[in-house]
């Protein structure tokens, strides 16, 4: 039996796009924003009749309470027009289900990404 020789090849992977695909999200809008010190990528979409928001942002392990507070306020402000029912966020966060005028379900990207990868590549 002949052996196949596989070449290793580096590839650039678009992590947000891959996550959207694995999640089955129908993307409606993508917004890149910046507050005073961080960059954000907001992906707004639909899945199974619900509005989803995926929040990717620069995150550091040494954030103080004030950093988390400003982050939460910025995210809520940016998502106020979307009325998401489910919000995914990367890294640590102090987001709560209370999003001003409505309630949301908060999920963490890293946990969901791992589950989706395992499910799709078993």
């Amino acid at each position: 039996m002949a052996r196949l020789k596989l070449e290793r090849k580096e590839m650039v992977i678009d992590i947000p796009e891959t996550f959207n695909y694995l999640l089955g999200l129908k993307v409606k809008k993508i917004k890149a924003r910046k507050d005073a010190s961080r960059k954000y990528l907001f992906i707004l979409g639909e899945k199974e009749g619900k509005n989803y928001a995926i929040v990717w942002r620069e995150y550091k392990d040494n954030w103080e309470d004030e950093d988390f507070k400003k982050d939460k306020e910025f995210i809520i402000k940016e998502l106020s027009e979307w009325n998401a029912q489910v919000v995914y966020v990367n890294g640590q966060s102090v987001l709560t289900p209370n999003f001003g005028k409505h309630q949301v379900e908060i999920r963490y990207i890293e946990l969901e990404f791992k589950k989706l990868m395992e499910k799709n590549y078993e």
Side-chain angles (χ1 to χ4, degrees):
M1 176 185 249
R3 289 186 169 229
L4 293 175
K5 184 178 178 184
L6 299 175
E7 289 186 38
R8 291 182 187 227
K9 187 165 109 175
E10 285 191 31
M11 297 174 64
V12 176
I13 305 294
D14 185 321
I15 299 296
E17 185 176 331
T18 301
F19 184 70
N20 298 339
Y21 174 77
L22 290 172
L23 192 59
L25 188 70
K26 182 178 180 182
V27 176
K28 296 292 187 177
K29 187 174 187 178
I30 298 175
K31 302 187 319 180
R33 298 287 188 262
K34 187 173 193 251
D35 75 351
S37 60
R38 290 175 282 278
K39 293 179 184 177
Y40 291 79
L41 180 66
F42 295 93
I43 299 170
L44 311 174
E46 293 178 355
K47 178 183 173 186
E48 299 171 348
K50 290 184 178 179
N51 286 340
Y52 279 66
I54 316 296
V55 182
W56 296 90
R57 80 259 205 262
E58 294 177 333
Y59 168 78
K60 295 188 175 147
D61 288 331
N62 63 350
W63 275 12
E64 302 289 333
D65 289 343
E66 189 63 25
D67 295 307
F68 283 109
K69 181 181 175 198
K70 287 178 183 176
D71 178 65
K72 177 181 177 179
E73 290 168 356
F74 188 77
I75 291 170
I76 290 172
K77 180 179 142 252
E78 286 295 322
L79 295 179
S80 65
E81 301 291 319
W82 182 243
N83 291 323
Q85 284 119 342
V86 180
V87 174
Y88 280 95
V89 63
N90 69 308
Q92 290 184 334
S93 172
V94 294
L95 289 175
T96 62
N98 184 6
F99 252 56
K101 297 178 183 177
H102 70 284
Q103 297 287 307
V104 301
E105 182 180 339
I106 304 295
R107 298 181 187 172
Y108 292 91
I109 290 172
E110 293 83 357
L111 295 173
E112 189 71 18
F113 212 137
K114 184 176 186 229
K115 282 190 241 174
L116 291 168
M117 289 292 287
E118 290 171 352
K119 177 182 170 188
N120 285 290
Y121 295 102
E122 289 181 330

